[in-house]
Each structure stands twice: as C-alpha cells, then as structure tokens.
Amino acid sequence: GGLGLELTTALAVGGVGLYVFALYTVVLSGDLGPTPLDRELLDVADQLNAQTGVTAAKIVSTLGSFPACAALVAVTAIVLVVRRRPVELVALLLSFALIYVAVHIAKAAIDRPRPANPLIATDGSTFPSGHAAYATAWVAVAVLFTRRLGLVRHAALVAGAIVLVAAIGLSRIYLRAHYWSDVAGGWGLGVGIFGLFGAIAMIVEHMRHNADEPEPPQEPAAVASAER
C-alpha cells in the first residue's frame, strides 16, 4: 500500500532484466552461433569504423569496466554510510557483488567465443558482457541519488545514466569485443539484480519505518473503555 508504483516498477524492471538474461542463456546453451542482430550490428560497426570513433568507443567502454564501476559503487557506499542508509548500502554492495560473480559463472558455463578481429584487447569468453552488466551500476547510483536520497532532484541524472549505459554496451559491439546478445544479456543481468535488490530494500525500509513509528495516543474514552 505505502510502497506504490516505485516498488512495482523495480519488480517489473528486475523481472524483465532477468528474463532477457535467462532467455539468451538458454538460447546460447544450445547454439553458440550468432543470434538475430548479432551479425547485422557487427556489419554496421564495420561500416562506421573510423579511428576517431574507435578512440571515442575505447574511452566510453572504460566507464563500464569493473574498476571504474567498482569505484563508483565505493564512492556511493561512502555517501550512504554518511547519510546513515544501511538498507540501501547493503542492497547496493550485495547487488554489485552478485553481478560480478554471476558474470564470471555465466562466462565459464557458456564459454562462447568472441567475435573475430576485435579492435580492443579481450580475454575470456564473451557471454555475457561484463562491461554491460557492470555499467548498470550507473543507473542504480543515479536512482539512489535522486529517488532514495533526494540529493539530486532532476530526473535528467537518471536519463543521462541510461544513455551512458546504452553507449557503453554499444561501444563493446563497435569495438567487436561482443555480440549484441552478449551486451543484451549483460544489461539484463545487471538491471535484473539491481531491480530485485532495490525492491527488497524498499520493502525492508518500509517495514523498518513502520516499526519505528510510535503508536498514536488513545482517546480518553477509548482508554476508559479499555480499563473497564
């Protein structure tokens, strides 16, 4: 009742994200070959290939690396500690840690080869894209700063974070480091985990808030009636 649309949105986003990740996992478990849009987007990337674009894509891609996103999460965690928000702190740290573990488990389980002729140094298997998964932390942090902490009132911060996450994922395709399905799977995994943990945090915070509220004082007539 008191949680409303915000909780419903978090659950919906989390559920859709995990569905996308699970769908690509099942598909690629049976066939590691390209899925729809995989080759088409790589062909588009090849047609748009230019040295300036490659340089820009490498810079954008770095913002989705584990060190960059881990630093973002660490700074946000400090803010949450200062603001005394333990529920959001635990949800953020557990979400990011679980995403990191899930990415590596999925990579080892699927063991999908990367696209040929990458334009950037790569290692390990390609599904899911770790950069795409880690990058969703930018959106989670933006939501924390706007909706949960109220430190930034403008919704443009969340919109900007979404655009950045999209750019990071597409940069991985442009650099031929991942297929589209790898990026979509990474986005789904990250959004799914952050969404579900965010919903859990809302429920816990709501319950804590209700438990801390003092009981309303009884009316004199009600007190007298109770004493009889």
Side-chain angles (χ1 to χ4, degrees):
L3 293 172
L5 184 61
E6 196 169 16
L7 174 63
T8 305
T9 302
L11 288 172
V13 169
V16 171
L18 291 180
Y19 173 78
V20 170
F21 171 70
L23 177 63
Y24 276 116
T25 299
V26 171
V27 170
L28 294 174
S29 295
D31 182 3
L32 296 177
T35 65
L37 290 182
D38 281 352
R39 290 209 179 279
E40 290 83 351
L41 289 181
L42 284 179
D43 290 341
V44 171
D46 290 340
Q47 294 170 9
L48 298 176
N49 186 282
Q51 187 57 47
T52 302
V54 171
T55 301
K58 287 180 178 179
I59 295 173
V60 172
S61 177
T62 302
L63 296 176
S65 65
F66 179 77
C69 294
L72 173 71
V73 170
V75 171
T76 306
I78 293 173
V79 175
L80 291 173
V81 169
V82 172
R83 302 283 293 189
R84 297 181 180 179
R85 303 299 292 263
V87 176
E88 286 88 348
L89 173 65
V90 172
L92 176 67
L93 294 179
L94 283 181
S95 297
F96 193 68
L98 183 57
I99 289 170
Y100 176 81
V101 172
V103 163
H104 286 273
I105 290 176
K107 281 181 177 290
I110 303 300
D111 196 22
R112 188 187 195 189
R114 290 187 181 266
N117 305 315
L119 303 178
I120 194 171
T122 58
D123 59 1
S125 58
T126 189
F127 179 86
S129 167
H131 281 67
Y134 305 145
T136 56
W138 288 95
V139 176
V141 168
V143 171
L144 279 173
F145 274 85
T146 54
R147 298 293 302 168
R148 307 306 298 169
L149 295 177
L151 297 177
V152 180
R153 296 293 181 183
H154 210 292
L157 181 64
V158 177
I162 293 173
V163 171
L164 176 60
V165 172
I168 290 170
L170 294 177
S171 74
R172 301 301 289 172
I173 300 173
Y174 184 82
L175 295 170
R176 298 187 64 87
H178 289 287
Y179 294 106
W180 158 255
S181 50
D182 305 325
V183 171
W187 282 336
L189 177 63
V191 167
I193 291 177
F194 274 125
L196 292 184
F197 270 83
I200 293 172
M202 290 180 207
I203 295 172
V204 172
E205 189 65 29
H206 181 72
M207 294 172 63
R208 289 179 70 248
H209 178 72
N210 287 344
D212 292 341
E213 285 185 350
E215 293 185 3
Q218 291 182 320
E219 296 292 332
V223 174
S225 175
E227 288 178 350
R228 293 198 204 100

